[in-house]
Structure formats: structure tokens, C-alpha cells
Amino acid sequence: MTLPRSSGLLLHPTSLPGSYGIGDLGREAHAFLDFLGDAGQSWWQVLPLGPVGDSHSPYQSSSSFAGNPLLISPEGLVEEGWLSPETLQRRPRYEIDRVSFPAVIASRREWLRAAFLGFDLKAPDYRRFLRAEAAWLPDYALFEALHRHFDDQPWWLWPEEIRRRTPAALRQWRSRLKSEIAFRSFVQFAFDRQWNRLRDAAHRRDIRLIGDVPIFVSLDSADVWARPELFELDAHGRPTGVSGVPPDYFAADGQLWGNPLYRWSEHAGEGYAWWIQRLASILKRVDLVRLDHFRGFEAYWDVPADAPTAAHGRWRPGPGAAFFEAVRKALGGLPLIAEDLGDISTEVLALRDQFELPGMRVLQFAFGNDSRNPHLPHNYPRRCVAYPGTHDNDTTLGWFRTRGPELSGDDANGPCERRFVRSYVGTDGAEIHWDLIRLALASVADLAVIPLQDVLGLGSEARMNIPGKPQGNWSWRWRPKPRQDRAAAERLRTLVETYGRSPEPRQLISENVAQHPARKNATKPRKD
């Protein structure tokens, strides 16, 4: 896949400002499209959009297909006529710097249930939505209804008949929980409606969207409950091995993610239909997809389910080229970014290059005092995406401040990393965030993506995630400062124009699968 020379910003919708405790798909999201336009940007990159669990991580979701109910704008529900202004105003408006997830969940639950009471289940748009999403929505809605009925116990602790999805149990529970299932379906309709309006508004502004697909799914998810044969589980529904990565830059003991592993032989036997359906679903929402943990498609780290850390794992072969051949054939292209960070082998690079997928380069990984480092811009290929940092990194300002003292010898961060940065960039470090933004934009990389926190010059207080830290992540929110933000947007636009990253809108995707006919028919609804 070939991308035009262009640039974009990385910001998850939860980090948008607003008066209801969390960023959502309403007015502030549409206002951010204006900010992107003012800054000369062609892309908006977001994190995974699915429902989140107790850790609030977008990479641990109860569904690979559903949208996050917390992102539904309550003001949008009022505008639809489903929610009364009085109900919305019963809870106070509040601006906060970090998301208070418990408060947000309570208020969204109240508003969504009130909106459901004012909704016509026979509305033609809703009926069309149910038909269009019939491959996944009935299982997901039933899963969420059962979760509520069984006091949020995980599915493997449910009564055996429904845990094992016998036809009689499915019929019984679908009848018994009919109203709750309808509510969960309505919530997804509301999300879909708001997201589609945001996507369409972005396209009218010649801005395209980059989504994110985690390679693994949560054990307690509709995906695993509905299709347990696709995962390495024992007879009781528990994983025999779990996902993670070996010790790396982020964690000395590796990262123990805990997701169930795929039974790739079963996927291959179905022609990778589940994965094709999954990618087709996200490509309804976005124009380009960052494929998280790309190296796992060549080989993945299998950790025993009872291991205390990820250091005890082993490499096992992934599906390899056969997977991408099947996806390309079904969808008519591979509009994917390969997240090829971490412990990367020559086999992983060969798989990436066989399918001409752009990889990722991260400037914060570049300055180890070795001129051959692939993250240094003079080593970039054109077919890559350049970042100062990702959602897993500190902000550039916070990163630079923690590089250690400039000693004559080695320090805790390696051979005086900060001195190498200053020497390579030719800077005193006073505006290191703009130095790295300029470096990314000036590079030969086809696409450069900048975290909004770096454009705003924010420190570690604005960090989105610390890998390996189970709680306290994902809660940063943008507090606009109109004068400073406007100046930052103008400065960024100047750099974009200077380094030739303003493509014609029609150039943004040369291999566009969004309208490919196979996408709509990649899989058919499951019949139980």
C-alpha cells in the first residue's frame, strides 16, 4: 500500500474536552476536526473504539465489533429527541483534567436508559442497522444482557448450558432478556449513528481516520464466549496459555497481557473468516487501520496461564502470509499500518515487506548513541509512519526530562542519551517537543503522526498509558487554551507546508477498500 506524503494527529476521543466527564463523539469531536484543518492535518488517529472493562483500557474490550457506550454524546441524544434536556441537566456539568470513570459510567448509564425509553424500536434506520450488523450484534447484546443478569460474573462462571451455548439455553435467555437485549442493541445503534456523522464530517473536511485493532481479545468477551473453538481454552473455558511480550524497553519482566491465544488452525480452516469480518467492521468506521502487535502474526509469545510474569513464555508460529493473503483477497486490499515495535525478527520484517505494509518509527526509541538505529530518521524508508512517541510513550517533553544528567560517561539511560538528542537534532532542548515534531515531519516517512500532547507542549502529567501498570491509565483529557492552541495549530501548519505534507484529498488512500463489495459480504450471520 502506498500513502501520500501527509501527516496527522493522535488523540483518542476520551481525551477530548467537554462538560460531561469524558470526551465523546459530540460537539468537541467535531470542533477537533476544525483544529485538525487549521493545523493542516490530513489524518486523525484514534485508539480502539470498543467497550472497555475495569482497567478502562481500549485494548481490553468486551467486543471486537461493538462501540464504546461511554463515547456516546449525551447532547447528541437530546438532539435526536430521545433524551429530555431536563434528564441531562439532573447531573451537573463538569470539566475535569482526568476522566473519573466511575462517575462517567454512572451518568452515561442513566442517560442511555432514559434515551432508550424514548426510542422507537420500529424505526426504519434502526431495523436496517440490526440487519447490517446481524453477524455479531445478537451475540454481543445477549452477552451484555447475561453479564448484567449474572452480576457481572465472567461468562465461564455462568450456568453450564448458557456457558456452552446450547440451542435451548440461547432461545430461553433471548426470550427472558428480550428488553435488555434491545437496550444493548439500541446503544450500539446510537454509537454507530454518532460515529458515522463524525466520519462523514471528517471526510467533508478532507480528513481521513486511522483506527486501531488489537491483535488479541479479552477472555471475558462476547468474541470468546460466542466462538470458543477459535481460542486455546480448556474444557471449562479457561485459557491454557495467555498473551504477552518478553522483557523489553518498557518492562524488565515483559508484559503479561493475559488474553487468550488463538487456535490458528481453526481460523485457517474457516479461511480466517472471523478476522476478515473483524477488519471489515472497523473499515466501515475508518480509512486506515493500525494493526497492533504485528509481530504476533509471524510468531507470538505464549505464556503459561499460571505464570507470574511474561518472562516465562515461549515463541510459537503465527498464521503468517496465508492470513494476509486471505484478508487481501476478501477485502480487495490491505489498508494497514504494521505496528512493528519491540522484539522484531528478520522474519517479521520480511512478512511486513512481502505485503508492502508501512511499519512504525518512533523518535523516542532513536537515540541510543548508535547511528544504525532504525528509528533515526536518516535510516527511514519512505514506506513507514513516523511518530515522536505513541500512546505507550511518555510525552516528548516528559521523556526528555527523564533522560538523565549529561555526564561524560554512561548513565542509567545508556550512553548519555540526552546529549545524543541535542547533537543529532542540533538543539538546546528548550523546545524539544517542536524539535521532534519537525524531525518527524521533515523525514522521508510517507506519513507522520504527532500526539496532540506534543503539539501542546505538555509534560508527563499528560501521558496516556504506562505499559505494565494495571490501573490509572487512559484518563488524560485536553483542557483547551484557545490562544495557545491556535498558535500551536498555526505553527504546525507552517511546518506541514514547509515539508510538503499537504496532499490532494483524492491522494490520501491509493488502495481504498472502503467501498469494496467483498467487505459487505465478508461473513454471513452466525446461525445457532
Side-chain angles (χ1 to χ4, degrees), residues 249-266:
Y249 176 92
F250 289 116
D253 289 327
Q255 298 176 46
L256 186 60
W257 297 336
N259 309 81
L261 301 173
Y262 294 108
R263 188 171 283 126
W264 281 116
S265 60
E266 292 289 334

Side-chain angles (χ1 to χ4, degrees), residues 200-234:
D200 294 346
H203 287 178
R204 286 195 298 272
R205 292 169 170 83
D206 299 326
I207 294 166
R208 297 300 182 264
L209 302 171
I210 303 175
D212 196 327
V213 169
I215 182 173
F216 296 115
V217 301
S218 296
L219 176 60
D220 191 18
S221 66
D223 306 301
V224 181
W225 173 68
R227 299 298 308 276
E229 69 277 11
L230 298 179
F231 301 87
E232 294 193 354
L233 308 177
D234 63 21

Side-chain angles (χ1 to χ4, degrees), residues 47-50 57-61 63-64 211-218 257 259 262 274-275 278-279 282 289-294 297 339:
L47 304 183
L49 295 166
S57 168
Y59 294 89
Q60 295 285 350
S61 177
S63 173
S64 294
D212 196 327
V213 169
I215 182 173
F216 296 115
V217 301
S218 296
W257 297 336
N259 309 81
Y262 294 108
W274 182 88
W275 262 100
R278 186 184 188 193
L279 291 171
I282 186 64
V289 173
R290 174 188 177 271
L291 193 55
D292 183 55
H293 197 58
F294 175 80
F297 292 94
E339 189 271 287

Side-chain angles (χ1 to χ4, degrees), residues 1-7 43 210 288 336-341 352-353 356-363 374-387 439-440 443-449 501:
M1 182 187 66
T2 301
L3 291 170
R5 186 168 175 80
S6 53
S7 65
W43 299 91
I210 303 175
L288 186 61
L336 305 174
I337 297 169
E339 189 271 287
D340 54 352
L341 306 176
R352 179 199 68 194
D353 293 342
E356 299 183 340
L357 302 180
M360 292 174 59
R361 297 293 184 271
V362 180
L363 288 169
H375 295 280
L376 285 169
H378 67 262
N379 294 320
Y380 287 5
R382 288 188 180 276
R383 194 176 63 235
C384 73
V385 185
Y387 297 79
L439 206 59
S443 76
V444 298
D446 286 334
L447 175 57
V449 176
R501 292 192 177 273

Side-chain angles (χ1 to χ4, degrees), residues 419-438:
R419 186 170 62 246
F420 187 11
V421 176
R422 288 162 56 114
S423 174
Y424 188 91
V425 181
T427 179
D428 62 3
E431 285 192 311
I432 189 63
H433 52 297
W434 281 110
D435 293 329
L436 263 61
I437 290 172
R438 179 184 290 271

Side-chain angles (χ1 to χ4, degrees), residues 273-330:
W274 182 88
W275 262 100
I276 290 167
Q277 179 192 351
R278 186 184 188 193
L279 291 171
S281 179
I282 186 64
L283 285 167
K284 290 181 181 179
R285 294 173 177 161
V286 301
D287 304 283
L288 186 61
V289 173
R290 174 188 177 271
L291 193 55
D292 183 55
H293 197 58
F294 175 80
R295 75 106 52 246
F297 292 94
E298 193 282 324
Y300 57 94
W301 192 244
D302 179 355
V303 184
D306 58 353
T309 73
H312 301 275
R314 64 188 176 106
W315 289 112
R316 293 178 60 190
F323 172 85
F324 292 100
E325 292 283 10
V327 171
R328 181 166 61 185
K329 182 178 179 180

